[in-house]
Amino acid sequence: MLPALLLGLVLGAAAPASAHAVLRATDPGDGTVLRTAPRQMTLTFTESVGLLTDSFRVYDPANRRVRTGPADHAPGRSDTARVSLPARLATGTYTVAWRVVSADSHPVSGALTFSVGERTAAPAGPPPGRTENPVTTALHTIARYLAYLSLALLLGTAAFVAYCRPPTTAHLRVPARAAAAVLLVSTAALYLLRAPYEEGTAPVTALTPSSLTHTATTRPGLLLLTRLALLLLAAAGAFLLSARRIRLPRRATLAAGAALALALSLTWSASDHASAGIQVPAAIVSATLHLLATAAWLGGLAALLWTLRRAPAADDLPASVPARFSRLASASVTVLVVTGVYQSWRGLGSWQALTDTTYGRTLLAKLAVVAALLLAAACSRTWTARLAQAADPTASPARAADPAARPARAADPASSPARAADPASRPARAADPVALRVPGPALERVPEPVAGPPLPPERPPALPAAVPRRLLRRSVLAEATAAVVVLAVTTLLTSTVPGRAAGEPARPAAGAAAGIPTAFVTTVPFDVGTPGGHGRVQITLDPGRVGTNSVQAVVYGPDGGLSTVPELRITLTLPAKRLGPLDTKVTDRGGYWSTDTFTLPVPGTWTLKATVRVSEVDQVTVSAPVRVTR
């Protein structure tokens, strides 16, 4: 029911939003041929971007680095980056490699080309730079996963102890301290790797003074420093209280823990997707609640599993503990559904983006895992109710699971305070001579109660060591396994371009230099599986609207230079209306393929397929989505 509700509410239409900066427009446009050399290069993104020391690299037709001015933002436009170019540029094709940091802290990069006068017959090879360092990216990704996992375990364990109140918490100190240590180390690693991750350099550059100071001036770096300060402050406070054996009141402890959990969560939500796009304040609140609910449910689940494994005896764990966690999990799921619907609404916004974008497909995978997790949770709730019923057969499962919800036992009339205070209501003792001389029928002698030791206070019903208990352990273990997968997919979502931003087509910049107008441009890699049989095809659809369009295609070989292929076929298909494939009929124009008379009849998201034949027997077909407007 919950996955169906989530799917139904996620996919409603909405106004455009963005997170993860996506290149929206360029001036000059990608692939254009200009009559005169431009004086500057301007890139416009879907959100504000941060600039690096090497955000723009321009290469001339001979693959030599062109000396440019410093990169900066256009006046009053934090989403527009620009760099000045030399006054005179030689005739030929130029390559521009760019790299910026989006508002949600993720670096994005790309490349484009423009030509002055005419296209170069042998354009420059790939620029000798880099888009990312695989070692740095891997270490940064591992640190992010560990940070998410340790935060969920730390906050979830605290929520489990505060709300479920297990009889002993000594066994939970080890995982809680381990989670805090991993969170501290992973946060420090994220700070050190921040500058190499943005620049795409090796991890050895992390300890340079310039990298450390640059990170401290960025918003993600400041948030990481704040997280480190909060963790160190909490650790110091806990150490001092433990050394002096000071026990704070329960309310003060809960208030301090809640404030720390909220502050830690804000260091995540203020630096990820919620920090960019529309409705930023509401999105940050939603993301914070989503993270806290995730930690309470999944981290608390790990604490419950650890408690069940550490309490094998029947009398070690009251039935109220899993019953209370069941209520905590239900409340957390409710918060997750509400906030997840809102966040997915910002990220997707259409049915089509659910299947046409990486973000949408990843979200579908997360929904599938969450559905399995909810199924395991339902099984756990069933076994919890059965265990509570077995612990107290006289009460209903819901009331038996919680000792506070059970009615108090009826007081013994003979031992009630009112009866004890009334001498007339007490039976006469045989040794009382006055009572023996009372006329009337003979009194029945009531034996005097025998004094004994006081009864011990009643303990809450414990979990019976029976088959349901083993089944509860198994279902909780299944929940925990699915929870790890959910956390992994969630972390992947935070580094994936949302469907709205990915599906937003590039638009021409106002005031573009004279020449061929900016058009839809896509680059598709191909690989036929033979040595030297890989490369990429850059396809330009101009203007990318309904009606007559020109199609141009350039094939680049393994070395990045122009490649001559015996055959290139480009078709477009509209699956939504079962239209196509329409053959563009491009022809070889000596260095590139082109046609000026291709007609697109209707708007929609078309599937572009390019069949590249590199020899008499080797060919491959690759595809990419193309959004056509009116």
Side-chain angles (χ1 to χ4, degrees):
M1 180 64 182
L2 289 178
L5 174 64
L6 183 59
L7 272 174
L9 295 178
V10 159
L11 305 174
S18 65
H20 246 57
V22 174
L23 184 61
R24 184 176 60 185
T26 67
D27 181 10
D30 188 11
T32 60
V33 178
L34 308 174
R35 297 190 182 97
T36 59
R39 294 305 306 271
Q40 67 179 13
M41 186 75 205
T42 303
L43 305 181
T44 302
F45 296 87
T46 56
E47 64 180 40
S48 60
V49 295
L51 299 178
L52 306 172
T53 56
D54 200 22
S55 280
F56 287 89
R57 289 172 290 126
V58 182
Y59 297 87
D60 64 13
N63 199 26
R64 294 188 298 264
R65 180 82 177 262
V66 176
R67 187 182 298 274
T68 62
D72 62 356
H73 291 96
R77 297 289 302 274
S78 60
D79 62 343
T80 301
R82 64 182 184 178
V83 64
S84 59
L85 300 174
R88 293 183 179 181
L89 293 178
T91 300
T93 300
Y94 289 77
T95 302
V96 180
W98 54 267
R99 186 177 182 89
V100 297
V101 181
S102 59
D104 59 1
S105 76
H106 297 286
V108 290
S109 59
L112 56 92
T113 62
F114 68 89
S115 302
V116 178
E118 62 180 0
R119 287 189 176 92
T120 304
R130 72 283 170 265
T131 57
E132 64 180 26
N133 184 281
V135 177
T136 300
T137 302
L139 291 176
H140 189 271
T141 302
I142 293 173
R144 290 179 65 248
Y145 276 81
L146 289 177
Y148 268 107
L149 185 62
S150 56
L151 178 74
L153 181 58
L154 179 62
L155 299 187
T157 301
F160 178 81
V161 171
Y163 183 76
C164 301
R165 301 182 184 182
T168 177
T169 59
H171 62 284
L172 293 175
R173 293 175 185 172
V174 173
R177 289 173 179 173
V182 172
L183 180 58
L184 183 65
V185 173
S186 60
T187 301
L190 286 173
Y191 181 84
L192 293 177
L193 292 170
R194 185 67 208 173
Y197 176 66
E198 290 182 351
E199 299 280 354
T201 57
V204 294
T205 63
L207 297 178
T208 60
S210 60
S211 296
L212 296 176
T213 54
H214 170 74
T215 302
T217 61
T218 62
R219 183 163 57 91
L222 291 174
L223 290 172
L224 289 172
L225 287 177
T226 302
R227 190 186 306 168
L228 283 173
L230 289 171
L231 292 172
L232 292 175
L233 182 63
F239 176 77
L240 290 177
L241 292 177
S242 176
R244 298 184 180 183
R245 297 185 178 181
I246 301 176
R247 292 180 61 88
L248 295 177
R250 176 177 173 81
R251 290 186 178 180
T253 304
L254 292 178
L260 178 62
L262 180 62
L264 286 175
S265 300
L266 281 173
T267 62
W268 261 276
S269 56
S271 62
D272 281 335
H273 288 167
S275 62
I278 63 171
Q279 304 176 357
V280 171
I284 290 180
V285 171
S286 175
T288 302
L289 293 177
H290 194 85
L291 185 58
L292 290 173
T294 300
W297 182 19
L298 305 185
L301 186 66
L304 175 61
L305 179 61
W306 191 265
T307 300
L308 288 173
R309 291 178 61 86
R310 292 289 179 173
D315 296 334
D316 287 346
L317 186 64
S320 60
V321 173
R324 284 177 179 269
F325 177 75
S326 180
R327 292 195 293 273
L328 176 64
S330 299
S332 300
V333 168
T334 302
V335 175
L336 287 173
V337 169
V338 175
T339 57
V341 165
Y342 174 73
Q343 293 180 110
S344 299
W345 171 80
R346 291 182 80 240
L348 276 178
S350 68
W351 288 95
Q352 195 167 14
L354 192 63
T355 56
D356 290 353
T357 63
T358 303
Y359 185 90
R361 291 187 290 269
T362 307
L363 182 61
L364 284 179
K366 179 180 178 180
L367 289 176
V369 180
V370 169
L373 184 58
L374 291 175
L375 180 61
C379 295
S380 298
R381 189 176 181 88
T382 301
W383 298 127
T384 299
R386 293 188 182 183
L387 287 171
Q389 181 69 14
D392 189 358
T394 62
S396 64
R399 297 177 67 87
D402 188 359
R406 299 198 310 274
R409 292 181 301 171
D412 185 3
S415 61
S416 64
R419 187 175 180 87
D422 186 5
S425 63
R426 295 197 304 267
R429 291 178 296 174
D432 190 353
V434 178
L436 294 176
R437 290 196 296 268
V438 175
L443 294 176
E444 180 181 358
R445 298 185 62 171
V446 180
E448 194 73 23
V450 180
L455 295 176
E458 182 184 6
R459 293 185 58 186
L463 293 178
V467 174
R469 181 184 176 88
R470 294 196 302 270
L471 295 176
L472 175 61
R473 287 179 182 171
R474 294 175 182 176
S475 62
V476 171
L477 180 60
E479 280 188 76
T481 303
V484 173
V485 180
V486 169
L487 285 176
V489 177
T490 301
T491 308
L492 180 61
L493 273 177
T494 62
S495 59
T496 305
V497 180
R500 292 184 189 274
E504 185 171 349
R507 295 194 295 268
I516 302 175
T518 302
F520 179 89
V521 181
T522 183
T523 301
V524 187
F526 68 88
D527 189 350
V528 297
T530 60
H534 64 278
R536 54 193 175 93
V537 184
Q538 179 178 289
I539 302 172
T540 302
L541 187 65
D542 183 15
R545 295 186 175 92
V546 173
T548 302
N549 288 259
S550 64
V551 181
Q552 299 176 4
V554 180
V555 181
Y556 296 95
D559 60 350
L562 273 183
S563 177
T564 302
V565 295
E567 183 181 357
L568 176 65
R569 183 171 181 260
I570 299 175
T571 63
L572 283 96
T573 305
L574 186 59
K577 296 189 176 181
R578 298 180 180 180
L579 183 61
L582 305 181
D583 192 350
T584 60
K585 299 180 180 179
V586 291
T587 57
D588 190 355
R589 301 289 180 91
Y592 67 98
W593 299 70
S594 177
T595 182
D596 298 326
T597 57
F598 177 66
T599 302
L600 287 168
V602 293
T605 300
W606 292 69
T607 299
L608 182 149
K609 291 185 178 181
T611 301
V612 185
R613 184 164 62 86
V614 298
S615 68
E616 293 298 329
V617 294
D618 297 318
Q619 71 176 34
V620 66
T621 300
V622 292
S623 62
V626 176
R627 181 167 294 183
V628 177
T629 59
R630 291 190 179 278

